Amino acid sequence: MRFLLLLVAVSAPAAQGQVMPTAVVRRGAPSGLALSDGEPISFVLEHAGILKLSDVQRAALMNIRRQLRTANAPFMQQMDSLRESLAISMEPTARLPEEERRKLAKLEQLSQPVADSIRLNNDAARAQARALLDSVQVAVLDSVTLRERGAAGG
């Protein structure tokens, strides 16, 4: 289960020429990635109705998402390669055997730089997306984000 949360973090490429944030905040999940590190742009687009996004905003967000997926694709491939090299099973089990726990711990250690790169890309894309929104939309997005994080227990 812990590894599945790690794989959800597929999002966010930084735009060309954009300054990347330098701080990395770890959140206690594998490699510090939380479920909300998934596709931040998809999250915004999924709430287009409540945010009352214009067609121009939607198009710009889809472009940011496309760039994000492109930027994160090599990192996701690295994650998959690491998982495969450690022979980690993706099958759900009632109780994780000790050997699988050791493999996941090793994966977490080895994948930390990759996860950090994904997180930085996600953060940059999230900042780009927020810059497209007006103050009311940002407030609504923040409210929805808090509500959904609370519902997900994180």
Side-chain angles (χ1 to χ4, degrees), residues 53-107:
L53 295 177
S54 69
D55 290 341
V56 171
Q57 287 174 312
R58 285 180 199 236
L61 287 165
M62 285 188 269
N63 187 49
I64 293 169
R65 181 175 61 185
R66 193 171 17 261
Q67 292 173 347
L68 175 60
R69 287 178 176 174
T70 300
N72 279 342
F75 300 122
M76 294 311 294
Q77 289 173 346
Q78 287 178 342
M79 291 291 220
D80 289 342
S81 294
L82 282 170
R83 182 188 55 77
E84 290 171 9
S85 72
L86 293 170
I88 295 175
S89 171
M90 294 302 291
E91 295 300 318
T93 60
R95 184 169 163 87
L96 198 59
E98 184 60 34
E99 181 183 349
E100 288 296 310
R101 282 192 210 130
R102 282 194 298 274
K103 288 179 183 179
L104 286 172
K106 183 71 171 175
L107 175 67

Side-chain angles (χ1 to χ4, degrees), residues 100-129:
E100 288 296 310
R101 282 192 210 130
R102 282 194 298 274
K103 288 179 183 179
L104 286 172
K106 183 71 171 175
L107 175 67
E108 186 173 342
Q109 176 190 6
L110 293 173
S111 67
Q112 191 62 60
V114 179
D116 288 347
S117 296
I118 291 169
R119 185 176 304 100
L120 289 173
N121 286 344
N122 288 353
D123 289 347
R126 189 178 292 111
Q128 284 182 288

